[in-house]
């Protein structure tokens, strides 16, 4: 499943990769995020898929700051995953979000020249790349909602709702000190530990949480 999978009565099996996409509507505003979980132990190819998806997503999030072009997010993602043999889904994208759930700009997760504007303080949007082992062409099921890979190979996705600040970006859907630390966060060469953003405030809070989480993971 690439996205929009509907839970059924299938029992989880060891190695299954599960993506939970959660949305919240609170006080007139929407939030949107997704997180990956693994049932039991995943094989080495699955670990590499998850690590690559996480790392390209973090690289894209780190790029976010006022004045940068939205279109360049896609190139960061595609240029990172392609040499590793993966593909990025083109049929679904990230999006602006706020009092309206889906709005401009469209955040494309592949190299493009779309005139989607520049990032500015106060913008809120999602980055949510869907990375595939094989083809990125989706197959839409008869329920007209579920999207799976056409070749049956695996896909992974991460997502945050992001807020542009004067000095960078903050993840409004970030983890906290009670969140489980996953292997892709521990082993990432792009960013070790949970990611809260690049603003001065986010970096300070991030360091505090990661001191606790990474310290606990070593004991």
């Amino acid at each position: 499943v690439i996205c929009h999978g509907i839970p059924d009565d299938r029992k989880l099996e060891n190695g299954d990769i599960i993506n939970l996409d959660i949305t919240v509507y609170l006080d007139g505003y929407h939030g949107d995020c997704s997180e990956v979980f693994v049932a039991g132990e995943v094989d080495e190819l699955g670990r590499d898929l998850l690590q690559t998806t996480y790392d390209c997503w973090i690289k894209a999030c780190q790029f976010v700051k006022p004045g940068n072009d939205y279109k360049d997010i896609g190139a960061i993602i595609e240029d990172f995953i392609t040499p590793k043999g993966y593909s990025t889904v083109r049929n679904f994208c990230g999006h602006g979000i706020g009092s309206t759930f889906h709005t401009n700009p469209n955040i494309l997760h592949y190299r493009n020249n779309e005139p989607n504007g520049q990032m500015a303080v106060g913008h809120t949007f999602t980055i949510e790349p869907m990375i595939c082992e094989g083809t990125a062409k989706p197959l839409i099921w008869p329920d007209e909602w579920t999207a799976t890979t056409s070749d049956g190979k695996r896909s992974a996705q991460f997502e945050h709702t992001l807020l542009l600040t004067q000095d960078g970006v903050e993840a409004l859907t970030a983890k906290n000190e009670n969140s489980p630390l996953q292997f892709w966060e521990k082993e990432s060469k792009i960013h070790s530990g949970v990611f809260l953003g690049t603003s001065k405030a986010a970096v300070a809070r991030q360091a505090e949480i990661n001191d606790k989480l990474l310290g606990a993971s070593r004991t």
Side-chain angles (χ1 to χ4, degrees):
V1 175
I2 293 174
C3 61
H4 303 160
I6 300 173
D8 56 21
D9 58 0
R10 175 188 177 277
K11 296 186 182 300
L12 294 176
E13 299 178 5
N14 185 59
D16 280 348
I17 297 172
I18 310 298
N19 177 268
L20 297 183
D21 196 333
I22 307 296
T23 65
V24 172
Y25 184 68
L26 179 67
D27 298 332
Y29 292 91
H30 296 271
D32 193 9
C33 66
S34 72
E35 176 71 9
V36 170
F37 297 89
V38 174
E41 297 293 330
V42 70
D43 59 64
E44 287 301 316
L45 291 177
R47 289 179 70 92
D48 189 70
L49 169 66
L50 291 171
Q51 193 67 66
T52 300
T53 304
Y54 178 78
D55 286 347
C56 79
W57 174 61
I58 292 297
K59 281 181 69 70
C61 290
Q62 291 174 335
F63 171 75
V64 176
K65 66 178 182 180
N68 282 349
D69 289 339
Y70 280 108
K71 68 179 179 61
D72 292 335
I73 291 173
I76 291 169
I77 292 169
E78 186 166 23
D79 289 355
F80 185 84
I81 67 155
T82 300
K84 299 175 181 289
Y86 297 107
S87 61
T88 177
V89 173
R90 294 170 175 253
N91 299 70
F92 303 99
C93 63
H95 51 89
I97 188 170
S99 56
T100 301
F101 186 66
H102 275 215
T103 186
N104 291 329
N106 288 328
I107 309 300
L108 307 180
H109 304 121
Y110 54 91
R111 182 174 284 278
N112 70 91
N113 289 308
E114 292 297 319
N116 281 331
Q118 288 188 329
M119 304 173 193
V121 174
H123 286 187
T124 51
F125 61 97
T126 71
I127 298 178
E128 47 184 297
M130 290 145 272
I131 307 303
C132 303
E133 287 182 320
T135 180
K137 182 180 179 181
L139 174 68
I140 306 301
W141 284 14
D143 61 19
E144 299 182 349
W145 185 247
T146 304
T148 63
T149 56
S150 296
D151 57 8
K153 294 186 177 181
R154 294 176 292 191
S155 177
Q157 179 190 27
F158 293 91
E159 176 187 12
H160 271 327
T161 295
L162 302 168
L163 167 66
L164 270 153
T165 66
Q166 290 186 345
D167 59 343
V169 65
E170 296 183 7
L172 299 180
T173 48
K175 291 185 172 183
N176 59 36
E177 62 272 10
N178 298 312
S179 301
L181 198 63
Q182 306 288 4
F183 75 78
W184 46 85
E185 294 163 326
K186 298 177 187 176
E187 300 175 12
S188 175
K189 300 296 191 297
I190 305 301
H191 176 83
S192 180
V194 299
F195 177 80
L196 273 66
T198 61
S199 70
K200 184 177 179 180
V203 169
R205 178 61 175 152
Q206 180 176 273
E208 179 183 335
I209 292 176
N210 283 329
D211 282 345
K212 175 181 176 181
L213 294 179
L214 291 170
S217 71
R218 297 187 187 107
T219 60

